[in-house]
Amino acid sequence: MRHQSSKVQALYEHCKTILSPSGSPPPSSQALQKLSSILDTIQPADVGLKEETADDDRGHGFFGTNALSRLARWAQPITYVDIHECDNFTVSFTILGHTSDTTMCIFCFPTSSVIPLHDHPGMTVFSKLLYGSLHVKAYDWVEPPCIIESKEPGYAQGLTLRLAKLEVDKVLNAPCDTSVLYPKHGGNLHCFTAVTPCAMLDILTPPYREEEGRRCTYYHDYPYSAFSVANAPICDGEEEEYAWLTELESPSDLYMRQGVYAGPAIQL
């Protein structure tokens, strides 16, 4: 009797069929919709995860009860776990910046842990929240590019800043639909903050690859009002919908650890 295929196996098979190392040609809208539909059905147990509770996390909520608890909260790492890798496709719970041809990854967040604001140049990313609550803030670049050099006195003087439009600023609560960001829309630059213990399954295609122009870059966002700009390309009253972004070095305090995959094995 033939065993029923696991959901992870079905996800792997569909990704292997529709996703190419270069991202060209792009998959059809129907193929992408099917990928989202498969992701929508995946539960923590399907990838060998146990849903954590606030008690498991030993925390005090999003902000903690005092400065000491907030410090302890930042010290807890985000967990990533490798599942499978081959020449044309990678299935992994992985750290941001994995350079295989296509990346599937799960990030397991303790409460208040953060993945800082970063981009996905020329990439499409599917994200499925498996359990818990996660705050997502996401931007898209304003086109044509609006770039300024800051002449403001103080810490921001001399910065190169680019204008971005806020696309997402909300808390996701599992269960919820899969979200998708694209190269030019949908919130291609995003940051995550865990409101409770949570886990996010991501599929990135094509993957980060610096030699092909897909380097992961981190950013800091400033309110639009922080810098005075003549002939601003936005209308009065829309200032809250925009921000100035400046590049940062890769954060030294992005604390991650490797875990062990406990879900169903993938049949190649």
Side-chain angles (χ1 to χ4, degrees):
M1 182 176 178
R2 185 177 180 181
H3 294 292
Q4 184 177 5
S5 175
S6 69
K7 291 180 181 178
V8 170
Q9 183 71 36
L11 186 62
Y12 167 79
E13 294 289 348
H14 188 62
C15 289
K16 185 174 66 171
T17 300
I18 71 168
L19 303 179
S20 66
S22 64
S24 181
S28 68
S29 59
Q30 292 86 352
L32 295 178
Q33 181 58 51
K34 182 178 179 181
L35 178 53
S36 290
S37 297
I38 296 171
L39 281 168
D40 283 341
T41 70
I42 292 182
Q43 303 293 321
D46 296 319
V47 289
L49 292 180
K50 174 184 175 292
E51 182 172 350
E52 293 189 30
T53 67
D55 289 339
D56 295 331
D57 197 44
R58 300 181 301 280
H60 301 282
F62 192 19
F63 296 105
T65 57
N66 54 47
L68 182 59
S69 69
R70 289 196 296 271
L71 182 62
R73 177 68 48 233
W74 279 102
Q76 296 189 53
I78 297 167
T79 300
Y80 65 96
V81 184
D82 289 330
I83 303 175
H84 170 77
E85 182 172 345
C86 64
D87 290 340
N88 194 48
F89 186 85
T90 299
V91 184
S92 59
F93 295 9
T94 183
I95 191 168
L96 197 64
H98 198 286
T99 58
S100 300
D101 288 332
T102 303
T103 300
M104 187 192 313
C105 52
I106 291 181
F107 299 96
C108 299
F109 297 79
T111 303
S112 296
S113 58
V114 175
I115 293 182
L117 184 64
H118 61 280
D119 64 355
H120 307 83
M123 299 159 63
T124 299
V125 181
F126 297 78
S127 297
K128 168 63 176 176
L129 186 64
L130 297 172
Y131 65 78
S133 298
L134 183 71
H135 180 260
V136 180
K137 190 175 187 180
Y139 298 93
D140 285 317
W141 293 122
V142 169
E143 297 291 351
C146 178
I147 299 172
I148 63 170
E149 296 289 333
S150 169
K151 296 180 173 57
E152 303 290 333
Y155 66 94
Q157 189 169 15
L159 291 180
T160 299
L161 303 125
R162 182 173 174 181
L163 189 62
K165 187 176 189 302
L166 183 65
E167 296 294 335
V168 180
D169 188 9
K170 65 181 181 180
V171 173
L172 301 179
N173 298 291
C176 57
D177 292 340
T178 298
S179 57
V180 188
L181 65 83
Y182 299 93
K184 298 293 185 181
H185 65 94
N188 187 272
L189 304 96
H190 67 199
C191 60
F192 295 145
T193 303
V195 180
T196 69
C198 58
M200 176 74 87
L201 168 58
D202 280 354
I203 296 176
L204 299 84
T205 182
Y208 290 112
R209 181 157 291 173
E210 189 165 352
E211 64 271 22
E212 296 177 8
R214 297 190 301 274
R215 179 174 69 92
C216 181
T217 303
Y218 293 89
Y219 295 88
H220 180 77
D221 54 343
Y222 292 92
Y224 179 81
S225 59
F227 303 95
S228 56
V229 180
N231 301 317
I234 66 173
C235 300
D236 289 343
E238 295 183 347
E239 291 84 359
E240 295 297 318
E241 299 178 25
Y242 292 84
W244 296 104
L245 274 54
T246 187
E247 290 188 20
L248 299 174
E249 296 293 329
S250 296
S252 59
D253 57 351
L254 182 55
Y255 183 21
M256 295 196 180
R257 66 182 176 193
Q258 179 138 19
V260 177
Y261 176 58
I266 293 173
Q267 304 299 316
L268 305 182

